[in-house]
Amino acid sequence: MIKTLHAYGKEIGHRISAPREYVLGIIASAKQPMTAYDVLDALGKKLDNPKPPTAYRALEFLMKHGFIHRIESLNAYIACAEDHQHRGSQFMICDGCGKVEEVHLCHIPDSLDKQAQAKGFTLNHWNAELHGRCRKCD
């Protein structure tokens, strides 16, 4: 995933800073979604006394370019399980163990797409969070 990040950085003409690389590695190796504070704590083991803006800037860059996703209902981040360039994600979140599974529908559901079109709404991307219990916790 780090190699993909560096290749993408070259492709778009952005330097991949150490904090960006470290933050992606931290989130990609996590077993559960991580809050920004969790990321900042882990980043402190890689960098000398990082400030919150350092972590937030890295998170923002990685989200903007699709390498990580923010799980809104958990206020936490996970690494993208698919190619980092896709328009929509769906997440199945187990309320028992906290496991998050990223899944992809190729297209937005027709009924939702039709409503957006009827209202003249141009869709850039979309995400859905489904809460329930995984097979292990059921």
Side-chain angles (χ1 to χ4, degrees), residues 17-18 20 22 26 28 34 39 42 66 68-69 74 86 92 105 120 125 129:
S17 64
R20 289 175 179 172
Y22 293 152
I26 289 165
M34 297 183 75
V39 171
I68 63 173
H69 299 292
L74 302 176
H86 51 82
M92 295 185 296
L105 299 175
H125 70 277
E129 296 180 19

Side-chain angles (χ1 to χ4, degrees), residues 21-116:
E21 181 180 323
Y22 293 152
V23 167
L24 180 58
I26 289 165
I27 293 173
S29 66
K31 302 282 187 223
Q32 299 286 340
M34 297 183 75
T35 67
Y37 291 112
D38 295 335
V39 171
L40 184 60
D41 278 348
L43 192 57
K45 295 173 183 156
K46 302 272 187 182
L47 299 174
D48 186 32
N49 196 29
K51 303 291 184 235
T54 302
Y56 282 109
R57 280 192 298 268
L59 289 167
E60 184 179 307
F61 176 87
L62 294 169
M63 262 191 343
K64 177 180 177 183
H65 296 281
F67 286 92
I68 63 173
H69 299 292
R70 184 169 187 263
I71 306 298
E72 298 290 333
S73 62
L74 302 176
N75 195 23
Y77 302 88
I78 64 167
C80 180
E82 300 292 330
D83 182 20
H84 68 97
Q85 296 295 312
H86 51 82
R87 291 185 56 201
S89 296
Q90 301 79 48
F91 305 100
M92 295 185 296
I93 303 164
C94 179
D95 294 327
C97 67
K99 181 179 178 181
V100 175
E101 198 70 39
E102 180 179 358
V103 295
H104 290 277
L105 299 175
C106 294
H107 304 284
I108 192 165
D110 286 337
S111 59
L112 190 54
D113 190 36
K114 286 178 185 173
Q115 285 187 27

